């Protein structure tokens, strides 16, 4: 009906049609996600984080993966947005945390050295106690201390932290959890503001790395690394794909790096661990 009207009367109804379709798709996505959570169908992949200087893996970032029987591969961004809207993000987060700490325990048991895992955390997960309960439960179950975990929050999430979220972050840091700002440079906070935030690590967004080496990008990254190190923060460059980008980051003095050059996200068993 809407499509027929759209054909007759133009774009407004077509837009309405798209919104209805969009809502129906989201409804289906959420229903499938609920089922996937119930069946334990979400998987976590791990991407190496290496020292820029020696290119040795010392930690990993945990990234959620979902291939649904009906929907096919669902992109993490889409999954996370749907989970946030449907208030399922705590459950998704708990799965990723559990698989990440479980993987650290598996590597430990195999005599492989991976010091720490980073998990991405949505700002919604800082609104109550569920994140802390999930961390405690998985830490106890797998026998992995929380001082081996980093939580990554985007720049805007950290900038918008309310009192409750700030208290959660401080309690987690008291337990040894490190806090990283993800995708830094894409939001609105300034380098100076970093000083006031409860953070330990800054991850420089891929968009800056893509243009390396180049006069403007190199100047920006140099300034960024300089200020971050003056503030005592560890810097990670994201999205390193080429040897040239790597050598420029090394020249600049960035500490850690992550990107397809060193390894793509993969199931824990497929990650090449020292
Ligand atoms: P992110 O945390 O910034 O993760 C890095 C993204 O960049 C990942 O995309 C990774 O696969 C991709 N990447 C890594 N190296 C390269 C590279 O060299 N080149 C290019 N082009 N891309 C690279 P992915 O896995 O699709 O995840 C997208 C975003 O979804 C993540 O961005 C994160 O914000 C979110 N996300 C993923 N897993 C979770 C999760 O468990 N919880 C939450 N809340 N968010 C998650
Ligand atoms: Mg991240
Ligand atoms: Mg990032």
């Amino acid at each position: 009906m809407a499509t027929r009207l759209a054909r007759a009367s133009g774009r407004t109804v077509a837009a309405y049609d798209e919104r209805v379709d969009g809502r129906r798709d989201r409804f289906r996505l959420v229903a499938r996600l609920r089922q996937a959570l119930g069946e334990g169908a979400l998987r976590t992949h791990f991407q190496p984080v290496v020292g820029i200087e020696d290119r040795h893996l010392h930690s990993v970032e945990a990234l959620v993966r979902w291939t649904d029987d009906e929907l096919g591969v669902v992109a993490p961004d889409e999954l996370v947005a749907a989970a946030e809207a449907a208030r399922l993000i705590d459950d998704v987060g708990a799965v990723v945390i559990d698989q990440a700490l479980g993987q650290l325990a598996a590597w430990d048991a195999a005599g492989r050295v991976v010091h720490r895992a980073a998990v991405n955390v949505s700002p919604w997960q800082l609104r109550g106690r569920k994140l802390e309960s999930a961390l405690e439960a998985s830490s106890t179950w797998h026998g992995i201390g929380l001082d081996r975990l980093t939580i990554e929050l985007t720049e805007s999430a950290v900038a918008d932290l309310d009192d409750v979220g700030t208290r959660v972050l401080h309690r987690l840091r008291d337990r040894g959890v490190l806090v990283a700002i993800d995708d830094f440079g894409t939001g609105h906070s300034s380098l100076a503001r970093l000083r006031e935030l409860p953070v330990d690590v800054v991850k420089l967004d891929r968009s800056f790395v893509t243009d390396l080496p180049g006069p403007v990008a190199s100047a920006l990254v140099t300034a960024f690394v300089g200020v971050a190190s003056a503030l005592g923060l560890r810097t990670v460059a994201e999205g390193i794909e080429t040897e040239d980008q790597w050598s420029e980051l090394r020249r600049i003095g960035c500490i850690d790096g992550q990107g397809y050059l060193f390894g793509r996200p993969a199931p824990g068993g497929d990650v090449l661990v020292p």
Side-chain angles (χ1 to χ4, degrees), residues 61 120 152 182-184 203-206 238:
E61 177 173 2
N120 294 283
E152 298 190 0
D182 208 350
D183 307 341
F184 190 84
K203 298 188 76 171
L204 183 60
D205 190 66
R206 174 158 59 91
E238 299 189 272

Side-chain angles (χ1 to χ4, degrees), residues 26-42 66 68 71 79 82-89 91-92 95:
R26 175 58 70 86
F27 191 73
R28 184 157 171 242
L29 181 62
V30 168
R32 296 300 303 167
L33 178 58
R34 244 182 247 287
Q35 185 160 344
L37 281 163
E39 292 170 352
L42 298 188
W66 178 30
D68 181 65
L71 304 170
L79 187 174
E84 285 176 345
R87 299 179 184 266
L88 292 172
I89 193 65
D91 301 323
V92 171
V95 168

